[in-house]
Amino acid sequence: MCGIVGYIGKKEAAPIILDGLARLEYRGYDSAGMAVFDGEKVNITKTVGRLKVLEELTHGGETMPGFSGIGHTRWATHGAPSNSNSHPHFNKDKTIMVVHNGIIENYIPLRNKLIKKGYEFVSETDTEVVAQMLDYYHKGDPLETILKVLNRIEGSYALGIMFTDHPGEIFAARKGSPLIAGQSKDGCFIASDVPAILRYTRTVYFVEEQEIVRLGEDRMRFYTMDEEEVEKEPVTIEWDADAAEKAGYEHFMLKEMYEQPKTIADTIAPRIQKDKIEIEELGLSDEEIRAVRKVHIVACGSAYHAGVTGKYVLEGLARIPVEVDLASEFRYRDPILEEGAMVIAISQSGETADTLAAIRESKRKGFRVLGIVNVVGSSIAREADNVMYTWAGPEIAVATTKAYSAQLVALYLLAVKFASVRKTIDGALYASLLRDLKRLPDQVELLLNNKEKIQHFANRYIGARDVFFIGRGIDYAISLEGSLKLKEISYIHSEAYAAGELKHGTISLIEEGTLVAAVSTQPALYQKIISNMVEVKARGAFLLAVTNEGNREIEKVSDYVIYIPETNPFFANSLAIIPLQLFGYYVAVGKGCDVDKPRNLAKSVTVE
Ligand code: F6R
């Protein structure tokens, strides 16, 4: 997803912009560029490829002197990755420069109108239309010009804009795409995300929907679309800049996997007080919890997989029917939400466009939304009626691990809380569930510390062509995530199946040596999954089993077994996923893949 960084102040802008863009690399990109203004002329450098190329071309920014500038990493949507499609885009005279994240949906009619008026376009992007329109409307007052353009474009945007006739200022605006602003004693910043500017300041402003920012060297002002100035309170970011670095691990993904015990503890601990679950931010009284008739969970990717687990846990413990939807489906299927329905949206980034749209659809229908979100102040956090934060800290690797684990425990907390209020569990079970929740961090740690066994096994599967993950109930939800982890970072085709479903077609793909990972953590279903394992073994499958300590029977049908420590079966996902994450990771490392930045993927998917 595109990344934006802008700076104006007392220091050279180019090195700050390059550094900020480097910290946004996790978002995924295919080209990069920046424009720096030295008060007389604008220098623009843009290139397809990694940020390193831009650094080399500009000698680390030295060839682009100036105290104000805007930079961009592009993730292609309209027009292939190329130098001319890279940002910044500009008008013919190079007096107006624009960087953009999002999609201008009506760019074709707007571009056609401008072409009729004699404008020439040099790129295939939707963004260039913004630069040309700014040129068309600009009569000297930048704010007025920007408003005229914003009122005519449809779609989503975070924009960074420079006018050479206003040398002491840069401008920004957002609608539907993330944007923050920050201020230090040396200048003002804009960026797509906080890590980009953390090295320079902890004083951050979250730019609201349809807000415009005017940045000077030592002050910034915010405006509504009616040109009214708004007072905003800055937020002080507490997390350490080091939290966004690798801390000695080979990859962010490995570091983040190792942070899971802490993440889980941080998400659980503040919500268990005096042996009782208290989730104040839920905003629901006990009476309201009892009145919930149905829960709808909406999310994408791994967050959706956490939601599938949430369904089994909430239904199993609190006896509330739960429907889990991919947000991209929910938003267009005119979902039936009836009285007593509660919507839960799960998202790490808090910026996923489809999840945000699903929230808006639910609110439009008059239903309250609880967000389970990791990024504080993100769009979903702001648009949901209530927010339960997962305290995972910044997640840099594109493939999620620690945020997913935090989402799981947030859902467990909700389920146990609902179950106790609705009296679907007794006091003894409540106490034992709490005890098992508190044990999870140590148990995850134990599994991580025994990584060699899975690492050794993974090395044998570097050349695999297809892998299948099977399980029933919660084990199916675990399989979904295990399969995604493997395929997204190692590029090995893998699929997750509800174990009983395999024989309805997919079993024909099993051949001699095909790896099938069978997840079996639910004692009530041990025998069932063993039957399915026997079925695939008879067709030549090589069987990896992930199961509970003590389930020795599974050894009879398995070729390799990974045991997880004992916990309540409802929480088994948090443990069984660890070896599967490690498996995906070590296969990808073995294959020499770019683990933290898999091809074609972006960390935060802010377009549909
Ligand atoms: C996979 C992964 C994605 C995200 C999905 C939703 O490892 O990270 O599948 O889970 O794009 O993102 P968020 O949680 O930011 O809404």
Side-chain angles (χ1 to χ4, degrees):
M1 214 55 33
C2 306
I4 289 177
V5 179
Y7 171 75
I8 179 159
K10 300 187 182 86
K11 298 200 161 175
E12 288 291 335
I16 292 176
I17 292 169
L18 284 171
D19 179 64
L21 290 177
R23 282 159 213 280
L24 295 180
E25 276 194 303
Y26 68 87
R27 295 168 69 84
Y29 68 101
D30 46 54
S31 40
M34 62 177 165
V36 178
F37 188 35
D38 66 7
E40 280 178 21
K41 108 174 177 326
V42 177
N43 246 307
I44 302 169
T45 311
K46 25 194 225 170
T47 174
V48 73
R50 310 302 290 174
L51 202 54
K52 241 174 99 207
V53 184
L54 183 66
E55 276 168 9
E56 278 163 17
L57 285 172
T58 63
H59 298 272
E62 269 178 33
T63 61
M64 297 179 73
F67 299 115
S68 63
I70 48 178
H72 189 264
T73 42
R74 173 172 188 254
W75 194 68
T77 54
H78 294 65
S82 70
N83 288 356
S84 57
N85 286 337
S86 309
H87 301 213
H89 290 281
F90 39 80
N91 61 342
K92 193 167 160 216
D93 301 336
K94 296 195 180 155
T95 54
I96 300 173
M97 255 60 51
V98 176
V99 289
H100 167 223
N101 172 18
I103 290 178
I104 309 298
E105 286 166 5
N106 59 340
Y107 80 104
I108 293 177
L110 293 172
R111 190 172 64 175
N112 290 343
K113 266 191 209 164
L114 288 166
I115 289 172
K116 275 193 195 136
K117 292 184 192 299
Y119 279 82
E120 281 170 27
F121 283 75
V122 294
S123 80
E124 301 154 286
T125 64
D126 51 335
T127 306
E128 194 183 356
V129 85
V130 179
Q132 306 283 25
M133 278 175 85
L134 287 166
D135 177 274
Y136 178 72
Y137 287 109
H138 192 46
K139 301 281 177 281
D141 178 346
L143 202 56
E144 201 176 287
T145 312
I146 291 170
L147 278 166
K148 280 200 174 127
V149 174
L150 298 188
N151 279 320
R152 284 164 176 83
I153 56 177
E154 287 163 19
S156 58
Y157 53 78
L159 291 165
I161 304 168
M162 284 202 305
F163 294 85
T164 56
D165 61 358
H166 279 73
E169 292 182 304
I170 57 178
F171 297 83
R174 86 166 274 239
K175 182 183 159 215
S177 295
L179 188 73
I180 57 122
Q183 186 163 8
S184 77
K185 62 177 185 8
D186 293 320
C188 293
F189 306 78
I190 49 163
S192 300
D193 199 356
V194 175
I197 61 168
L198 256 193
R199 234 181 114 184
Y200 309 98
T201 182
R202 294 178 168 279
T203 308
V204 165
Y205 297 86
F206 292 100
V207 183
E208 293 297 331
E209 279 291 276
Q210 300 202 280
E211 227 168 51
I212 301 155
V213 198
R214 184 171 199 154
L215 301 101
E217 190 185 294
D218 49 17
R219 70 182 286 213
M220 64 176 102
R221 284 167 287 170
F222 298 87
Y223 298 90
T224 64
M225 294 287 282
D226 298 321
E227 230 180 305
E228 272 176 31
E229 195 168 340
V230 269
E231 287 296 318
K232 280 175 90 79
E233 283 299 314
V235 175
T236 306
I237 301 294
E238 303 291 352
W239 21 278
D240 203 320
D242 281 353
E245 301 291 338
K246 273 191 234 160
Y249 287 93
E250 199 182 342
H251 296 102
F252 280 115
M253 184 175 172
L254 189 62
K255 171 178 175 269
E256 286 159 8
M257 280 193 270
Y258 272 85
E259 284 169 357
Q260 289 178 112
K262 181 172 184 314
T263 296
I264 293 171
D266 287 352
T267 304
I268 293 175
R271 285 141 181 157
I272 300 185
Q273 283 158 23
K274 296 194 188 125
D275 285 328
K276 239 184 128 205
I277 296 180
E278 299 287 358
I279 314 174
E280 277 161 27
E281 61 273 39
L282 204 58
L284 293 178
S285 65
D286 285 1
E287 206 172 311
E288 284 168 320
I289 291 177
R290 280 190 284 271
V292 174
R293 293 279 153 269
K294 187 165 185 180
V295 172
H296 292 261
I297 299 180
V298 290
C300 301
S302 295
Y304 167 80
H305 298 159
V308 177
T309 303
K311 171 184 167 72
Y312 289 109
V313 181
L314 263 160
E315 287 189 344
L317 287 172
R319 309 305 302 157
I320 307 174
V322 180
E323 227 176 276
V324 196
D325 269 88
L326 292 162
S328 52
E329 290 294 312
F330 183 90
R331 64 182 292 190
Y332 292 121
R333 76 170 169 89
D334 192 11
I336 301 167
L337 301 180
E338 290 177 333
E339 209 189 319
M342 170 183 178
V343 179
I344 302 178
I346 309 173
S347 176
Q348 185 286 126
S349 63
E351 300 295 348
T352 303
D354 285 318
T355 311
L356 202 51
I359 291 175
R360 290 179 185 156
E361 173 69 4
S362 310
K363 289 179 77 172
R364 196 181 60 76
K365 289 188 145 94
F367 288 84
R368 290 180 68 78
V369 176
L370 170 71
I372 296 182
V373 182
N374 193 44
V375 177
V376 176
S378 57
S379 302
I380 293 178
R382 277 176 288 139
E383 292 203 22
D385 298 289
N386 294 86
V387 184
M388 185 174 174
Y389 280 112
T390 49
W391 298 116
E395 193 177 58
I396 308 294
V398 166
T400 182
T401 51
K402 62 173 182 169
Y404 166 80
S405 283
Q407 288 161 356
L408 288 177
V409 293
L411 287 161
Y412 302 160
L413 285 166
L414 268 184
V416 180
K417 166 90 189 164
F418 274 39
S420 78
V421 172
R422 295 163 73 97
K423 300 209 178 349
T424 49
I425 55 172
D426 62 21
L429 180 53
Y430 182 69
S432 96
L433 287 165
L434 254 56
R435 202 181 49 238
D436 283 340
L437 271 175
K438 289 187 203 159
R439 285 162 63 200
L440 283 177
D442 287 344
Q443 293 176 319
V444 168
E445 181 119 44
L446 191 79
L447 285 161
L448 286 164
N449 290 341
N450 287 330
K451 69 174 183 353
E452 277 73 23
K453 197 174 172 198
I454 195 83
Q455 183 173 6
H456 177 73
F457 181 77
N459 283 334
R460 288 162 51 180
Y461 279 89
I462 289 164
R465 198 187 59 183
D466 305 296
V467 178
F468 293 87
F469 290 76
I470 58 170
R472 288 169 178 263
I474 287 178
D475 292 334
Y476 169 54
I478 301 170
S479 302
L480 286 169
E481 179 60 8
S483 169
L484 180 61
K485 284 288 92 71
L486 175 68
K487 75 178 119 190
E488 67 181 334
I489 57 172
S490 74
Y491 317 140
I492 291 174
H493 165 247
S494 80
E495 286 189 55
Y497 266 85
E501 184 61 17
L502 212 60
K503 58 176 150 312
H504 296 285
T506 309
I507 203 162
S508 65
L509 295 174
I510 306 292
E511 42 189 52
E512 201 55 42
T514 305
L515 177 61
V516 176
V519 186
S520 177
T521 67
Q522 307 295 302
L525 296 167
Y526 280 168
Q527 289 312 320
K528 296 286 165 202
I529 186 96
I530 285 184
S531 310
N532 301 128
M533 291 167 77
V534 170
E535 282 161 13
V536 289
K537 194 158 182 72
R539 272 103 186 149
F542 188 92
L543 275 164
L544 164 70
V546 178
T547 193
N548 302 325
E549 252 158 31
N551 181 17
R552 295 279 162 200
E553 213 188 322
I554 210 161
E555 287 182 6
K556 292 188 199 136
V557 281
S558 312
D559 297 293
Y560 206 80
V561 184
I562 302 282
Y563 288 104
I564 61 162
E566 184 257 325
T567 186
N568 187 292
F570 284 114
F571 304 154
N573 190 345
S574 292
L575 304 181
I577 197 59
I578 304 298
L580 298 183
Q581 290 173 342
L582 287 166
F583 178 65
Y585 172 78
Y586 282 115
V587 171
V589 170
K591 285 187 71 177
C593 298
D594 192 349
V595 174
D596 284 335
K597 293 184 215 100
R599 69 183 180 208
N600 305 339
L601 292 181
K603 182 65 184 164
S604 125
V605 186
T606 53
V607 291
E608 286 193 47

